[in-house]
C-alpha cells in the first residue's frame, strides 16, 4: 500500500510537471504566435513604408521634372524678354530718329517757306522792275522812232553829235536788254531749282511717312 501510494504521488508529480511544461510550452507557443503577429504587422508596416517611399520618390522625381520644365520656361521667357527688350530699344531708337527726321523736315519746310517767300518777293520785285524797264525801253524805242522819223524828215541827214548820241543810246538799250535777259534766265533757273527741291522734299516726306506707317500707307 505504501509503495502504491508513493507511486501514485510520483505519477501525480510527473503529471503535474508535464502539465506545467505543457502550460509553459503553450505559453511559449502563444508568445511565439504573438511575436509572429507583431513581426507580420511590422513587416506590413515596413512594406507600407516602402510603398510610401516609392510614392515619395516618384513624387520627388515628378517635382524635379516640373522644376526642370519651369526652369526651361523661365529661360525661354528670359530669352523672349531679352529679344523683346532689344526690339523695343530698336523701335525706340527708330521712333527717336523719326521724330528727329520730322523735326528736321519741319525745319527744312520752314526754311524753304522762307526761301519761297523771299523768292516770291524777289519775283514780284523783279516783275515790277522789269515792267519799269520795259516801259523805259518802250519810251526809249519811241524816242528812237522819233529820231528816225526826224531823220526821214531831214532827208536822212543827221549831225555827227546826233548820230553818236543815237548809237550810244542804242548801245545802252542793247545792254539793258541783255541784262534784263540775264536776270530773267537767272530767276528761271532759281525757280526751277526751288521747284525741284520742293519735289524732293515732298517725295522724301512721303517716303518717310510710308516707312513710319507701312500698314496705313497700303
Amino acid at each position: 500500500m505504501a509503495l502504491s501510494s508513493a507511486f501514485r504521488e510520483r505519477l501525480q508529480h510527473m503529471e503535474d510537471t508535464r502539465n506545467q511544461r505543457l502550460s509553459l510550452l503553450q505559453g511559449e507557443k502563444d508568445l511565439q504566435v504573438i511575436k509572429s503577429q507583431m513581426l507580420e504587422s511590422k513587416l506590413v508596416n515596413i512594406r507600407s513604408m516602402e510603398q510610401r517611399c516609392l510614392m515619395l520618390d516618384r513624387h520627388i522625381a515628378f517635382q524635379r521634372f516640373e522644376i526642370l520644365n519651369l526652369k526651361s520656361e523661365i529661360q525661354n521667357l528670359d530669352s523672349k524678354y531679352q529679344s523683346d527688350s532689344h526690339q523695343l530699344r530698336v523701335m525706340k531708337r527708330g521712333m527717336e530718329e523719326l521724330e528727329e527726321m520730322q523735326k528736321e523736315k519741319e525745319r527744312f519746310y520752314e526754311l524753304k517757306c522762307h526761301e519761297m517767300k523771299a523768292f516770291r518777293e524777289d519775283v514780284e520785285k523783279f516783275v515790277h522792275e522789269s515792267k519799269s524797264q520795259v516801259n523805259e525801253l518802250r519810251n526809249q524805242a519811241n524816242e528812237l522812232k522819233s529820231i528816225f522819223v526826224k531823220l526821214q524828215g531831214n532827208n536822212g541827214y543827221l549831225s555827227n553829235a546826233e548820230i553818236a548820241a543815237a548809237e550810244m543810246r542804242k548801245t545802252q538799250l542793247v545792254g539793258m536788254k541783255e541784262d534784263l535777259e540775264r536776270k530773267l534766265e537767272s530767276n528761271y533757273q532759281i525757280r526751277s531749282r526751288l521747284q525741284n527741291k520742293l519735289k524732293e522734299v515732298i517725295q522724301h516726306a512721303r517716303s518717310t511717312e510710308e516707312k513710319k506707317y507701312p500698314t496705313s500707307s497700303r
Side-chain angles (χ1 to χ4, degrees):
M1 293 293 293
L3 180 62
S4 179
S5 177
F7 182 72
R8 282 196 299 271
E9 290 179 358
R10 180 67 177 172
L11 288 176
Q12 186 64 39
H13 178 71
M14 291 177 63
E15 182 68 21
D16 292 337
T17 302
R18 187 179 71 84
N19 290 333
Q20 289 177 356
R21 288 181 179 179
L22 288 174
S23 178
L24 290 173
L25 288 173
Q26 184 64 37
E28 290 179 359
K29 183 178 179 182
D30 294 338
L31 182 62
Q32 290 295 326
V33 169
I34 293 171
K35 288 182 177 180
S36 297
Q37 291 176 351
M38 291 177 62
L39 181 61
E40 184 68 25
S41 177
K42 288 182 179 180
L43 289 174
V44 171
N45 291 332
I46 290 172
R47 292 191 186 96
S48 176
M49 291 177 65
E50 288 177 349
Q51 291 294 327
R52 290 178 61 189
C53 289
L54 289 174
M55 291 179 65
L56 287 173
D57 288 339
R58 291 176 182 176
H59 183 70
I60 291 170
F62 179 76
Q63 292 295 326
R64 287 177 179 175
F65 180 74
E66 289 293 323
I67 290 171
L68 290 176
N69 285 336
L70 290 174
K71 286 183 178 180
S72 178
E73 290 180 3
I74 291 172
Q75 291 176 354
N76 291 333
L77 289 174
D78 287 338
S79 177
K80 189 175 184 300
Y81 173 77
Q82 294 295 331
S83 177
D84 292 342
S85 298
H86 176 70
Q87 291 182 359
L88 181 62
R89 289 192 295 270
V90 171
M91 291 178 65
K92 186 177 180 180
R93 285 196 298 269
M95 290 296 294
E96 291 175 353
E97 291 176 358
L98 287 175
E99 290 176 356
E100 186 62 29
M101 289 175 62
Q102 183 67 23
K103 292 178 181 179
E104 185 67 25
K105 183 178 70 175
E106 290 175 357
R107 288 194 293 268
F108 184 77
Y109 277 155
E110 185 177 359
L111 177 62
K112 290 305 173 183
C113 286
H114 287 306
E115 290 181 358
M116 290 296 292
K117 182 179 179 181
F119 174 73
R120 196 175 290 110
E121 292 174 354
D122 291 340
V123 169
E124 291 176 356
K125 182 179 178 182
F126 174 75
V127 169
H128 179 72
E129 291 177 354
S130 298
K131 287 181 179 179
S132 299
Q133 290 178 0
V134 168
N135 290 330
E136 185 178 354
L137 287 172
R138 188 179 291 110
N139 293 332
Q140 292 174 358
N142 292 331
E143 182 181 350
L144 286 175
K145 286 181 180 179
S146 64
I147 292 173
F148 288 137
V149 170
K150 183 178 179 181
L151 177 62
Q152 291 176 355
N154 293 333
N155 295 322
Y157 175 76
L158 283 176
S159 64
N160 291 332
E162 290 176 338
I163 294 173
E167 290 294 334
M168 185 179 296
R169 195 62 178 166
K170 180 181 179 182
T171 302
Q172 290 177 352
L173 290 173
V174 171
M176 291 177 66
K177 180 175 178 294
E178 292 176 351
D179 184 59
L180 182 61
E181 289 176 348
R182 283 194 298 271
K183 287 182 179 181
L184 284 172
E185 182 64 25
S186 176
N187 283 327
Y188 285 144
Q189 291 177 357
I190 293 173
R191 181 182 177 185
S192 178
R193 285 198 299 270
L194 288 176
Q195 287 177 344
N196 291 332
K197 192 66 177 179
L198 183 60
K199 289 180 181 179
E200 292 178 359
V201 171
I202 293 173
Q203 291 177 355
H204 179 71
R206 289 177 178 174
S207 177
T208 302
E209 291 297 327
E210 289 177 355
K211 291 179 180 179
K212 185 175 181 181
Y213 305 109
T215 304
S216 59
S217 63
R218 294 177 182 175

